[in-house]
Amino acid sequence: MARDHAVSADVERAAALLRAGGLVAFPTETVYGLGADATNVSAIRRIFAVKGRPHHHPLILHVASTDALDRWGSGVRAEARELAGAFWPGPLTLVVRRSALVPDEVTGGRDTVGLRMPAHRTAIALLKLFGGAVAAPSANRFGKVSPTTADHVRADLGSDVDLILDGGPSAIGVESTIIELIDEPVLLRPGGLAIARIEELLGRAVRRDVAGVSRAPGMLESHYAPRCRIEIVETSSATARREALAAEGLAVDVWRPGPDDRRTAHELYRELRAADDNGLDVLLAVLPEEQGLGAAVADRLRKAAGPRAVDE
């Protein structure tokens, strides 16, 4: 893989920090991750402390090849291998039975683990040089808006992370799609890979189970939230609701999805952060059609509008 000397030096330093038990923020095509050596329990615990993340909420392991399914997973089903072969590297996380190598701290004590191979040259360079799996949630405080640039990570985490690899803006801008493949395929989180493509490859429907018990990241009722309040509104009522809130003296604006679901997803978290930067009290959000990446955007907005599960 061709890399310039500056990038190579940064990646080498990042790999060394991971081996030493450090935390490294790194870019992926979805969002930036906060990574640690998946086998270093102390480093994993530090991720939870830095983020303020509940310890029962599992982490995703980032890997450099499909061979990792057998190293970090156990009894992996043929459908998981088929999906990995078709969509890795890419924005797809596969939840499978975990192997004995995976610490309880990664999985919240569950017997399953989420695995993903990111489609970003810097991330893959880091994973290959490191030589193991990197456990990584999004590189932000728990429950808040995910970071899609290195500057977002700096603003959110500051000196709590040992190194930030700057790989430019994330190309997709929302997290990976998560599919559980223990018995039947189950969608746990819509994301950067449209569920229709997964169903087409498998030749059958995938059951949805995107809320409730936290078997994977992003399943809690409240998540991805800016400081300002998010309200979901219909297009027909957005103007009236805006006027009513403004009459109460609140700073309010309306967010509407664009015609291109990829661009909408790419810009979503930037727009949520801008709402805080602009001092809004309330952001009214019109949901996109739940097709393609629109399903992921709608999911993120509903959870951003959910009852705040984390102390402000």
Side-chain angles (χ1 to χ4, degrees):
M1 179 182 298
R3 301 188 301 270
D4 64 43
H5 295 299
V7 171
S8 177
D10 285 344
V11 170
E12 288 174 359
R13 182 181 171 208
L17 281 167
L18 290 173
R19 295 187 195 104
L23 299 188
V24 173
F26 63 97
T28 79
E29 78 280 22
T30 58
V31 300
Y32 274 66
L34 179 63
D37 178 352
T39 63
N40 187 321
V41 170
S42 295
I44 296 299
R45 288 173 177 165
R46 189 177 160 206
I47 285 180
F48 284 91
V50 165
K51 283 183 61 73
R53 184 183 180 94
H55 287 275
H56 67 274
H57 205 48
L59 305 178
I60 292 170
L61 297 191
H62 292 68
V63 298
S65 73
T66 57
D67 293 342
L69 281 170
D70 292 313
R71 178 171 173 79
W72 304 98
S74 176
V76 178
R77 297 181 55 200
E79 285 179 313
R81 299 182 191 280
E82 188 176 8
L83 289 173
F87 299 121
W88 281 9
L92 174 66
T93 295
L94 301 174
V95 175
V96 299
R97 298 286 182 196
R98 79 185 207 189
S99 77
L101 291 175
V102 183
D104 285 345
E105 284 77 5
V106 167
T107 69
R110 291 167 180 77
D111 63 356
T112 58
V113 65
L115 301 173
R116 163 164 130 77
M117 181 181 177
H120 193 291
R121 60 179 297 178
T122 301
I124 290 297
L126 174 62
L127 290 164
K128 287 182 176 179
L129 188 60
F130 174 62
V134 172
S138 56
N140 60 320
R141 306 299 179 188
F142 182 72
K144 303 303 182 182
V145 181
S146 297
T148 57
T149 69
D151 284 343
H152 292 164
V153 180
R154 293 185 188 99
D156 291 350
L157 301 183
S159 61
D160 285 339
V161 59
D162 298 312
L163 177 67
I164 300 171
L165 288 175
D166 191 342
S170 297
I172 293 176
V174 293
E175 295 81 357
S176 61
T177 301
I178 302 180
I179 300 290
E180 182 182 75
L181 289 146
I182 306 303
D183 296 312
E184 62 174 336
V186 181
L187 174 68
L188 301 183
R189 180 178 73 186
L193 179 65
I195 188 63
R197 295 185 61 191
I198 295 169
E199 291 177 327
E200 181 180 8
L201 182 73
L202 295 178
R204 60 162 159 162
V206 173
R207 183 166 63 85
R208 275 69 165 165
D209 186 10
V210 298
V213 178
S214 183
R215 307 203 306 276
M219 293 186 70
L220 298 179
E221 187 177 6
S222 176
H223 220 66
Y224 316 110
R227 293 187 301 275
C228 73
R229 187 170 85 234
I230 303 293
E231 286 189 19
I232 305 300
V233 295
E234 300 291 335
T235 299
S236 58
S237 62
T239 299
R241 180 59 177 159
R242 179 179 183 174
E243 292 174 351
L245 290 170
E248 296 175 14
L250 297 175
V252 58
D253 203 351
V254 180
W255 180 91
R256 293 180 175 86
D260 183 335
D261 63 352
R262 289 185 176 275
R263 182 171 180 179
T264 295
H266 179 73
E267 296 179 352
L268 175 65
Y269 289 148
R270 186 183 69 184
E271 294 294 333
L272 294 183
R273 287 174 179 271
D276 285 338
D277 293 340
N278 293 332
L280 292 186
D281 298 305
V282 184
L283 181 65
L284 304 176
V286 177
L287 296 182
E289 292 187 19
E290 298 192 43
Q291 298 178 357
L293 289 182
V297 172
D299 171 80
R300 304 310 189 267
L301 288 170
R302 287 195 185 96
K303 289 175 179 174
R308 300 297 167 91
V310 183
D311 291 338
E312 298 293 346

